[in-house]
Amino acid sequence: MAKGYWIAHVDVQDPERYKDYVATAKPAFERFGARFLARGGEWKALEGRGRARNVVIEFPSMQAALDCYNSDEYQAAKAIRITVADAEMVIVEGHDG
């Protein structure tokens, strides 16, 4: 089964309140088997608009990635995030081999 990945590009306006988003999202990430591959850190924009925070999260499957996003736990976290940050996020299916 192909893995699923969240890829998010984020500009945080309120770092203190963003911590509330992270804490609120944690149960959803744990429940759906999320593994953070990149979170923040150094980055270089090569094409297009860059954002200050870039995140890649691996899930066991595309369905797990979608279910996490649509879960009540994550939607509660999203309600916080949209008030303190601007983001673009996609979910993509990984390639098996």
Side-chain angles (χ1 to χ4, degrees):
M1 177 183 308
K3 294 185 178 185
Y5 296 86
W6 286 18
I7 302 172
H9 308 286
V10 185
D11 285 328
V12 177
Q13 284 82 37
D14 185 342
E16 286 305 309
R17 186 87 166 102
Y18 193 79
K19 291 176 188 176
D20 294 335
Y21 156 73
V22 173
T24 303
K26 185 177 180 182
F29 292 143
E30 290 174 348
R31 181 158 73 107
F32 291 98
R35 186 167 76 101
F36 285 79
L37 302 179
R39 185 187 322 195
E42 183 177 344
W43 60 278
K44 304 281 185 227
L46 301 177
E47 294 183 29
R49 180 173 186 254
R51 290 198 180 260
R53 184 172 179 80
N54 299 283
V55 181
V56 179
I57 308 171
E58 179 182 78
F59 289 85
S61 66
M62 183 72 167
Q63 190 62 55
L66 288 167
D67 289 346
C68 183
Y69 182 82
N70 291 317
S71 70
D72 290 341
E73 300 97 326
Y74 186 76
Q75 289 301 306
K78 178 185 168 189
I80 296 168
R81 178 182 47 79
I82 63 174
T83 68
V84 300
D86 294 321
E88 285 118 21
M89 184 166 62
V90 297
I91 297 175
V92 298
E93 185 176 52
H95 185 283
D96 286 335

